[in-house]
Amino acid sequence: GIQVEQSPPDLILQEGANSTLRCNFSDSVNNLQWFHQNPWGQLINLFYIPSGTKQNGRLSATTVATERYSLLYISSSQTTDSGVYFCATSGGYQKVTFGIGTKLQVIP
Amino acid sequence: DAGVTQSPTHLIKTRGQHVTLRCSPISGHKSVSWYQQVLGQGPQFIFQYYEKEERGRGNFPDRFSARQFPNYSSELNVNALLLGDSALYLCASSPGTSGGADTQYFGPGTRLTVL
């Protein structure tokens, strides 16, 4: 199956700083999503982005499908951005594979 | 519109018991998937159902089973519980009509503790 690698595994930021999270995948995909998991375990959709670039407020994402990676940008980070960010993808019918996540801590 | 709902929120069982977890998808969604998330790891795919048929199965033992009902809600059953089954169980729904290229929406999860 598809392998998904995320980096970095842990990240500590000062409030207001910018960051880039990376997701590499091992095969061609037809589905790629970024999620934020809050401390209560809820997975919140950030982007559905199998290719191209999208922006939503302080967050943006880019997927380069031909080179098998996706990037999540967080600008002007806030303490509420803390949590775990997951990349998840599939190459076929919904057998979605998640990465191990990037644990982000934003300190005041 | 209501999002994905799961019940119960929390559950405590003992080894060897059986458990049933329930999920109601977003209205209009025909596909439901189940995931297990052990502390410190990403969710692991267990099952995916579409129109009451199993469309995919992850690497889980036969103690895990699921089904989808005519109203598209779903149950996940786990028999002969082991300590290692303690985890957050997540349900996701999607329209299911895009050949696998659907956005998945997750419920709040059921936290299962096996003692």
Side-chain angles (χ1 to χ4, degrees):
Chain A
I2 294 176
Q3 306 298 313
V4 179
E5 294 182 352
Q6 288 188 245
S7 60
D10 296 280
L11 188 58
I12 300 175
L13 295 177
Q14 200 77 37
E15 198 169 25
N18 303 327
S19 63
T20 300
L21 281 56
R22 187 177 179 100
C23 172
N24 293 331
F25 41 93
S26 62
D27 206 342
S28 57
V29 297
N30 64 353
N31 178 338
L32 189 137
Q33 288 187 255
W34 282 96
F35 295 92
H36 175 216
Q37 190 166 41
N38 65 24
W40 297 271
Q42 176 75 56
L43 278 166
I44 300 165
N45 290 56
L46 298 177
F47 294 102
Y48 172 81
I49 186 165
S51 64
T53 297
K54 290 186 178 180
Q55 181 158 5
N56 184 4
R58 296 181 297 104
L59 303 181
S60 63
T62 295
T63 296
V64 183
T66 53
E67 297 187 20
R68 300 180 183 169
Y69 72 88
S70 183
L71 302 174
L72 178 69
Y73 307 95
I74 304 174
S75 64
S76 305
S77 58
Q78 301 175 359
T79 55
T80 52
D81 295 332
S82 297
V84 184
Y85 289 81
F86 287 104
C87 161
T89 188
S90 67
Y93 276 104
Q94 300 291 330
K95 190 170 183 176
V96 176
T97 300
F98 278 74
I100 62 169
T102 292
K103 186 174 181 180
L104 173 64
Q105 183 180 359
V106 181
I107 55 178
Chain B
D1 284 342
V4 179
T5 60
Q6 292 187 243
S7 63
T9 306
H10 295 85
L11 201 51
I12 299 175
K13 292 285 190 178
T14 57
R15 283 176 294 175
Q17 285 190 311
H18 163 271
V19 68
T20 298
L21 311 181
R22 295 178 174 83
C23 172
S24 292
I26 293 170
S27 177
H29 285 191
K30 298 181 179 181
S31 178
V32 170
S33 298
W34 287 95
Y35 296 82
Q36 180 196 66
Q37 187 177 21
V38 175
L39 193 63
Q41 297 182 18
Q44 298 291 313
F45 173 80
I46 309 176
F47 288 109
Q48 194 245 349
Y49 277 77
Y50 174 70
E51 289 277 18
K52 298 173 288 179
E53 297 290 328
E54 182 183 300
R55 183 179 274 178
R57 173 187 285 255
N59 295 323
F60 280 81
D62 292 343
R63 299 185 296 108
F64 289 76
S65 63
R67 55 179 175 169
Q68 186 177 31
F69 299 100
N71 66 353
Y72 304 112
S73 67
S74 178
E75 283 182 354
L76 176 69
N77 295 285
V78 187
N79 292 324
L81 285 167
L82 304 174
L83 296 179
D85 295 331
S86 295
L88 179 67
Y89 288 85
L90 294 162
C91 172
S93 84
S94 61
T97 55
S98 301
D102 281 333
T103 300
Q104 294 205 323
Y105 298 90
F106 282 81
T110 293
R111 195 166 296 277
L112 172 65
T113 301
V114 182
L115 302 177

